[in-house]
Amino acid sequence: MIVTVVKFAAVALCSYLLGNFNAAIAISKCKKNDIRKLGSGNPGTMNMFRNFGKAIGVLTLLLDALKGVLPCLAGWFICGKFCSLHGSKIGLYVGALSVIVGHIFPVFYKFKGGKGIASSVGICLVLNWWVTLLSFTVGALFLIFIKVGSITSFIIISIPIALDAFSLSAQGGNTACLILLFCIFCMTLFAHTKNIVKLYGGTERKVILFKKKRKAQGAS
């Protein structure tokens, strides 16, 4: 029992500390800038898209998604079938929630971090990779045509999380897993409070992925 508790504590702590690493801040620093002082000030993928372009935005997304994948796999293998929960995925969800908390409330950045969507995408890939890729495609199309980043974010993560919750319930899954999964979604929702207010007020900034080239003046 003590060994199991130690394993869960280690997964939670290491996942939280990994969550403190913010790809947007690190990349912007490499470019001799600080994403927290640009655009919306949010150190996340969408703000990187707006200020540094598509390539840097995609790089930020990939790194933060990887940050979501690693704690899930570590928690699954360390606290999975080798503990008294008989193969439960609870270790996966502990790692997932901890990395999201670390991303949104990083101790190394005075508890002011990103919104956790890219890392949540990584988590969803572990939960169900093909459903996540499908929802990501739907979300990308929504972003291209509707251009609202915050709604896009929730389209991408809501489908895999909802299906995983349904699967857990149908299989009589551990209640703790459902609670942790629900907390992951609530954390990302809480981090988007300002965006929700802006959406309601009609002031949410749009994300333009493909800008039209201006015609040269004086062209015949």
Side-chain angles (χ1 to χ4, degrees), residues 144-206:
I144 291 171
F145 293 104
I146 308 300
K147 303 178 178 64
V148 181
S150 53
I151 296 179
T152 299
S153 299
F154 284 104
I155 288 175
I156 294 172
I157 69 170
S158 293
I159 299 174
I161 287 178
L163 287 178
D164 193 60
F166 177 79
S167 177
L168 282 171
S169 299
Q171 297 173 10
N174 193 293
T175 302
C177 292
L178 285 169
I179 293 173
L180 289 168
L181 190 61
F182 179 71
C183 287
I184 292 168
F185 183 78
C186 286
M187 287 295 298
T188 55
L189 183 65
F190 172 78
H192 281 78
T193 301
K194 291 183 180 178
N195 298 88
I196 294 171
V197 172
K198 289 179 180 179
L199 278 170
Y200 182 78
T203 59
E204 176 77 329
R205 288 184 62 186
K206 292 189 175 183

Side-chain angles (χ1 to χ4, degrees), residues 65-218:
L66 179 62
K67 187 174 71 176
V69 169
L70 295 178
C72 290
L73 295 179
W76 195 354
F77 287 112
I78 294 172
C79 304
K81 60 184 179 181
F82 302 107
C83 74
S84 60
L85 293 171
H86 305 293
S88 170
K89 290 183 181 180
I90 192 169
L92 185 159
Y93 298 107
V94 168
L97 179 59
S98 299
V99 76
I100 293 298
V101 173
H103 183 84
I104 298 175
F105 301 109
V107 65
F108 296 129
Y109 294 116
K110 299 179 180 179
F111 302 101
K112 297 179 180 179
K115 297 177 181 177
I117 292 297
S119 295
S120 295
V121 171
I123 292 168
C124 290
L125 284 170
V126 177
L127 297 178
N128 194 321
W129 66 269
W130 69 269
V131 171
T132 302
L133 292 179
L134 178 62
S135 65
F136 189 90
T137 302
V138 173
L141 291 173
F142 184 90
L143 184 63
I144 291 171
F145 293 104
I146 308 300
K147 303 178 178 64
V148 181
S150 53
I151 296 179
T152 299
S153 299
F154 284 104
I155 288 175
I156 294 172
I157 69 170
S158 293
I159 299 174
I161 287 178
L163 287 178
D164 193 60
F166 177 79
S167 177
L168 282 171
S169 299
Q171 297 173 10
N174 193 293
T175 302
C177 292
L178 285 169
I179 293 173
L180 289 168
L181 190 61
F182 179 71
C183 287
I184 292 168
F185 183 78
C186 286
M187 287 295 298
T188 55
L189 183 65
F190 172 78
H192 281 78
T193 301
K194 291 183 180 178
N195 298 88
I196 294 171
V197 172
K198 289 179 180 179
L199 278 170
Y200 182 78
T203 59
E204 176 77 329
R205 288 184 62 186
K206 292 189 175 183
V207 180
I208 311 298
L209 293 179
F210 304 103
K211 296 181 180 180
K212 295 180 179 180
K213 294 181 179 180
R214 296 180 179 178
K215 294 182 179 180
Q217 294 182 355

